[in-house]
Amino acid sequence: EPEVTQTPSHQVTQMGQEVILRCVPISNHLYFYWYRQILGQKVEFLVSFYNNEISEKSEIFDDQFSVERPDGSNFTLKIRSTKLEDSAMYFCASSGDYSYEQYFGPGTRLTVT
Amino acid sequence: QKEVEQNSGPLSVPEGAIASLNCTYSDRGSQSFFWYRQYSGKSPELIMFIYSNGDKEDGRFTAQLNKASQYVSLLIRDSQPSDSATYLCAVEGGANNLFFGTGTRLTVIP
C-alpha cells in the first residue's frame, strides 16, 4: 500500500541553525501539507502546497519557514534559523485530487537545543 | 480561528463494549470531517471520513454527523485492546487544511 515517507526520523540541531525536513508524498497525490505537533499538544496546520505553489499557510508559517518541491517526488520544509520553540514532531501529509482525505507520514522529531 | 473541541478523556471501556467519542466544531460552513487514530509516539492514521449528515459505517467504526448541531461522533463497536489510542477529530478548513481537536485518549480494558 502506498505511503508517505519522511526523513530523517529524528533531527537534533542547535538554535539558530537551518534544518531541512524531507518528505516523499504518495506518488499520485497532488496536494501536500506540513503539520506540527508539539509534545502533548494538538496537531497544527502549517502549510498546504499545490501545483508548485503554497495554497494556504497558517500564522505559524512565518518568514523562517519555506517549502519546496525540488523534483517530482520530494517535498521539503526548511526552517531557516531554528528556535527552541520549533522543537516538535513535523508531519508531512498528502491527498489526491478532489479529495480532502489526507494521509500522514511517520513524522520527523525535531529537537532544538 | 476554527475551533474543534473534544473531551480529552481518558475514556475507559471494557473489551467488547462500544466506545463513543464526540467532537464539536465552531465553523458552521465546514463540510468535511475526519477521525484519525494516533498511537503514542506515532503519526495520525486516517480511519474514517464523513461529508454528509447521518451515519457512515466501516467495519467496527461508525461516524455520525449532525451539521445543524455542529457535532460529529465516532462509535467503535466490539472494542479491542488494540483500539487503545488517542482519537483525533479533524475538520476541513476550506482551503485543504485540517483543524484538529486535542484528541480523546481511549483505553480498552481486557
Side-chain angles (χ1 to χ4, degrees), chain A residues 92-109:
Chain A
C92 174
S94 68
S95 64
D97 206 4
Y98 306 116
S99 165
Y100 291 121
E101 297 123 51
Q102 298 182 21
Y103 296 89
F104 281 65
T108 293
R109 178 173 300 283

Side-chain angles (χ1 to χ4, degrees), chain B residues 25 28 30 33 53-54 65-72:
Chain B
Y25 57 94
R28 188 170 287 279
S30 297
F33 307 88
N53 272 331
L65 175 61
N66 183 327
K67 289 185 180 179
S69 300
Q70 295 174 238
Y71 175 92
V72 59

Side-chain angles (χ1 to χ4, degrees), chain B residues 33-100:
Chain B
F33 307 88
F34 305 86
W35 284 99
Y36 285 81
R37 178 173 61 198
Q38 187 175 31
Y39 293 111
S40 181
K42 301 295 187 183
S43 62
E45 175 192 3
L46 180 63
I47 54 172
M48 287 286 291
F49 54 89
I50 186 166
Y51 303 146
S52 305
N53 272 331
D55 294 1
K56 179 183 177 184
E57 188 173 315
D58 184 1
R60 296 187 296 112
F61 299 98
T62 299
Q64 300 174 316
L65 175 61
N66 183 327
K67 289 185 180 179
S69 300
Q70 295 174 238
Y71 175 92
V72 59
S73 65
L74 180 71
L75 300 178
I76 306 174
R77 287 181 299 282
D78 187 24
S79 296
Q80 301 297 308
S82 58
D83 295 327
S84 297
T86 297
Y87 288 81
L88 309 178
C89 174
V91 176
E92 179 266 325
N96 281 47
N97 51 333
L98 295 179
F99 289 89
F100 283 83

